[in-house]
Amino acid sequence: MADKRGGQITDTAETTSAQFPVPLSAIQQSIPARFEEQVARFPDRLAVRAADGAFTYRELDCLANRIAHGVLARRGQEPEPVGLLLPQGARLVAAIMGILKAGKLYVPLDPTHPSERTRQMLDDAGAELVITSSTSSLSSTSSSSSTSSTPSTCFDQLIEGQPEDSPGLKLTPETLAYIYYTSGSTGRPKGVFDNHRNVLHNILRYTNSLKISASDRLTLLQPPGFSGAVSSTFSALLNGAAVFPYDVAREGLGRNLARWLRQEEITIYHSVPMIFRSLLHDGVRFPSIRVIRLEGDTASKVDIELFRAHFAPNCVLVNGLGATETGISRQFFVHWETPLPDGVVPIGYATPDMSGAVIDEAGNEVPPGTTGQIAVRSRYLALGYWKQPELTRAAFHDGPPGSGERIYFTGDLGRMRADGCLEYLGRKHSGLKIRGSMVEPAEVECALLTLEAVREAAVVGRTDSHGNSQLVGYVVPAGSLPIPVPLLRKQLARILPEFMIPARFVLLETLPLSPNGKVDRKALPAPDDHRDPRNPEYLPPEGELERRLAAIWEEVLDLSPVGRTDNFFDLGGDSLLAESVLLSLEEMTGREFPPATLMTAPTIARLAEVVRSAPGALPAVLVPIQTGGTAPPVFCLPEHGGRVWSAFSTLSRHLGADQPFYGLQSAGISGEQHPLTSIEAIARHHLAAVRAVQPQGSYFLAGRCFGGVVAMELAHQLAAAGEAVGLIFIFDATPEDFPELVPAEVLGRFQRGRLEQRVRSVATKLRPHRIWKGLPSLGQETLSTIWQNVRRRAIRWYLNRDSPLPPPLQEVRLVNQHAFSGHRSRTFPGRVTLVLRTEDRARYGPDPYEVWRRLATELEIRWLDGPVERFAAEQDAQTRQVAQYLEEALRRVSERESRKTG
């Protein structure tokens, strides 16, 4: 049972089906050996799903084997580092496992980081091979000043022609596994390296404390190169569970992340507290999540209040202390009933085989209640810092003689309670955590001093009014003129990743010095959070909208006043703070904004223009997703008036930068009145928006499900107006979308099949609740009766109770469904490409063309593999296939029209 002090997790029916605790003997092997055990047990179970694909355990194992053979063919069997310059996703997970199977160390690198930093890490690691993606190559990120000559190979080229069987290398637990780079106090990143045994012990600690089983679904929000990814990735793959990588930078936080967590039915969530706070807004709940892991930064009483407001009573929040050098060493479990009388969220009790103490400057343990440095003692600490023996000896000390243990001095301050529970009190020296990553201000100072315009520099940490850690840079210009802050940021962005660039800059004539001639950091002036509005660069906001936007920026940036021409990122904004602005903006307007909104509209004036486009009919309907390119644009409609950015942004990205792509969402989705009660009226409404972008044909139209119905009607109206329609592309359609155009017997057979599928699906969801235990074995007649009796009550309640649609979207969907019920589709006198689900193929009979022949006078049918119940950006395997079919259809239209003009 749960210990209400915060001792352990609550048992559930799901977790107790596994065998806990996992024995210590499980670490006496290699990581690939443990993984291959899971492959044998769960070959067809989902292992990983991300925007770039999904793999079962068997599929992931085969891909990892191909990668291993590709690496071995290029580098032989000697243990050595291999760089990984791949974006977040399923292929990165496969590459990690493949490199380990080849007996190599993987060195993860973030493609978004500056090329100079990437090359520093590769040179330090001594990597002789780096694996890149087709869109993120080493050469594309290189700089003219770089001198590294590390050979790179594209992922697809690496696996081409390689066998899928295991390379079968005999790897021991002592085999080196990885090098993870963190910020270094010497001005360069330092690499932490470790072996398979220590990684397995870290996963063993997580597995037993969180009771991770094959039924779990774990998030992977950490970007490549962040060591927190180790626990998320391997806690899943070494237990038969599924891991779900999510690219925060590309897909966004806030509502986007919250929606994804619900759609993927995540059970174990892991992030730093700042990201956790971003996804919690009014009304959102997460019924599937049973464990919340908060690590990498200080959790607060606010986090606990949010946890209790948005998660189920059987969920538990685990606040922990972990480091690249130690893995998880402390955990504190918070249940709904766990008391926190003083408001402090401790980092808890020592995990197995990871004893800890609070010590003074002499290395002696201090009494409970006394502040000192946190030290961790264990046999399973990281091996040290790559190629830096002196730094290793300074941080890692020998433990008691004969114990085999070592002691790691964390540099964190803490205070031990009498019962052994530890409180975290921040960093001992200058280092601090930014978004969960350790940052040494000395490295940022070194970067500043490389700039020609900077004579002296100092960097310190501060806490803003929201409790988040920030860097403040103090700069003495090399010349007589002040240095523009935007220039500083731009130049630093070529050297440092975004999270290491100071949020504030203070320009000084000289740095204050102590009597011994060192920089007196305590005497550095606090950054002024209030700007002088008389500054000639300051232009006050104009109008009520700009003033409201400025108020949002001031709250998020902890700075005032904000002018209408100020650049958000020059004021200290970053991608995470931009998400906070967008969340407030969505609450203010009722509209959904793409994650990159502030990148394209970084000033109050330009952002106001984006927001002002909401009231008119055209902007409320038209959503530009990809505006560049020379090809004719594609106009795409979602199902039942759904929001188009989250549904089609990845589809557009697969079509390439030369293909303009616009979404057409329903009127009313932004909260305004939705008076369009017929498909004809909806199509006329869209027609005005389409012609505003493209005054005359040939028009390319696409739509999913209900969107396909509207696209057909829009095509009829364009044809009636004498315009050419070059393409109608309808995907994920069913006979229920066009009941007038398919035979009645096919429609009835299809609906019966769908009915049974829905009831069985709901029965599966309800089985953990011990309701309708024998439902899947019932006959068709009984299934139909049950469906009719409960669909308005139990099932709708179960499916919607924890993820209610916002009121505007509920109204839009109801109005659109009413419009659809009174509509009769007509045969289109031209060509239609129809993409159907392979899983439904048997219901159409031997000739699907005969079933759909009345849809158009010229018809093409393509088949979409796999289920598409949640077709969207995250279902990228299907999205990629739809994009391929659409691209082929566009190419045929282009060739056909070229022949006409030729």
Side-chain angles (χ1 to χ4, degrees), residues 612-681:
R612 282 194 194 99
S613 65
L618 169 61
V621 170
L622 192 69
V623 179
I625 297 177
Q626 161 64 27
T627 58
T630 58
V634 172
F635 299 93
C636 194
L637 298 100
E639 59 171 344
H640 290 297
R643 289 174 165 168
V644 298
W645 177 267
S646 57
F648 298 143
S649 58
T650 301
L651 175 61
S652 170
R653 189 159 56 246
H654 282 310
L655 294 175
D658 194 50
Q659 178 58 65
F661 195 98
Y662 292 83
L664 292 169
Q665 63 187 10
S666 289
I669 205 165
S670 299
E672 72 274 17
Q673 187 178 2
H674 183 3
L676 308 175
T677 57
S678 71
I679 298 297
E680 292 80 3

Side-chain angles (χ1 to χ4, degrees), residues 248-265:
V248 169
R250 185 178 67 185
E251 305 297 344
L253 297 176
R255 285 190 171 92
N256 286 355
L257 176 57
R259 184 187 303 114
W260 175 80
L261 291 170
R262 294 194 302 271
Q263 288 175 340
E264 295 294 7
E265 298 179 329

Side-chain angles (χ1 to χ4, degrees), residues 318-362:
V318 187
N319 188 37
L321 175 67
T324 312
E325 291 87 347
T326 65
I328 187 65
S329 61
R330 291 265 163 178
Q331 288 180 317
F332 185 80
F333 291 77
V334 180
H335 306 274
W336 270 30
E337 305 88 349
T338 303
L340 296 171
D342 53 4
V344 174
V345 185
I347 52 178
Y349 303 89
T351 56
D353 301 320
M354 303 294 288
S355 60
V358 177
I359 60 175
D360 58 21
E361 293 293 336

Side-chain angles (χ1 to χ4, degrees), residues 641-798:
R643 289 174 165 168
V644 298
W645 177 267
S646 57
F648 298 143
S649 58
T650 301
L651 175 61
S652 170
R653 189 159 56 246
H654 282 310
L655 294 175
D658 194 50
Q659 178 58 65
F661 195 98
Y662 292 83
L664 292 169
Q665 63 187 10
S666 289
I669 205 165
S670 299
E672 72 274 17
Q673 187 178 2
H674 183 3
L676 308 175
T677 57
S678 71
I679 298 297
E680 292 80 3
I682 293 172
R684 284 194 299 271
H685 196 61
H686 289 325
L687 183 58
V690 169
R691 280 184 155 165
V693 175
Q694 184 182 353
Q696 56 187 8
S698 173
Y699 291 93
F700 297 165
L701 307 175
R704 181 200 176 199
C705 303
F706 172 84
V709 177
V710 180
M712 285 280 287
E713 177 58 32
L714 181 56
H716 280 291
Q717 294 185 15
L718 283 166
E723 299 288 359
V725 179
L727 174 71
I728 303 176
F729 183 89
I730 300 172
F731 57 96
D732 193 22
T734 72
E736 294 169 308
D737 296 317
F738 299 93
E740 299 82 19
L741 302 180
V742 297
E745 64 273 14
V746 175
L747 179 62
R749 183 168 67 246
F750 188 90
Q751 289 175 329
R752 286 194 299 274
R754 300 281 283 178
L755 170 65
E756 181 177 353
Q757 182 182 10
R758 289 174 183 172
V759 176
R760 293 184 190 279
S761 174
V762 172
T764 300
K765 292 177 180 293
L766 293 176
R767 188 179 296 115
H769 301 269
R770 300 182 181 178
I771 300 174
W772 298 342
K773 185 175 181 181
L775 188 57
S777 63
L778 299 177
Q780 178 66 45
E781 183 177 350
T782 307
L783 286 172
S784 297
T785 301
I786 291 175
W787 176 259
Q788 295 301 327
N789 288 340
V790 304
R791 69 186 299 267
R792 292 188 300 273
R793 296 190 295 274
I795 295 176
R796 180 172 295 177
W797 170 82
Y798 181 83

Side-chain angles (χ1 to χ4, degrees), residues 476-541:
V476 176
S480 58
L481 297 177
I483 308 171
V485 169
L487 178 62
L488 280 175
R489 294 186 183 282
K490 183 178 181 180
Q491 293 179 341
L492 282 179
R494 299 170 183 166
I495 309 171
L496 300 175
E498 181 194 51
F499 70 90
M500 293 182 67
I501 298 176
R504 296 278 191 276
F505 283 95
V506 179
L507 301 183
L508 300 174
E509 293 184 1
T510 59
L511 294 178
L513 302 178
S514 63
N516 61 7
K518 295 183 178 181
V519 175
D520 187 353
R521 299 179 185 274
K522 294 181 179 180
L524 290 168
D528 189 358
D529 293 337
H530 298 277
R531 297 172 50 193
D532 185 356
R534 295 170 297 179
N535 187 320
E537 297 180 358
Y538 172 81
L539 294 177

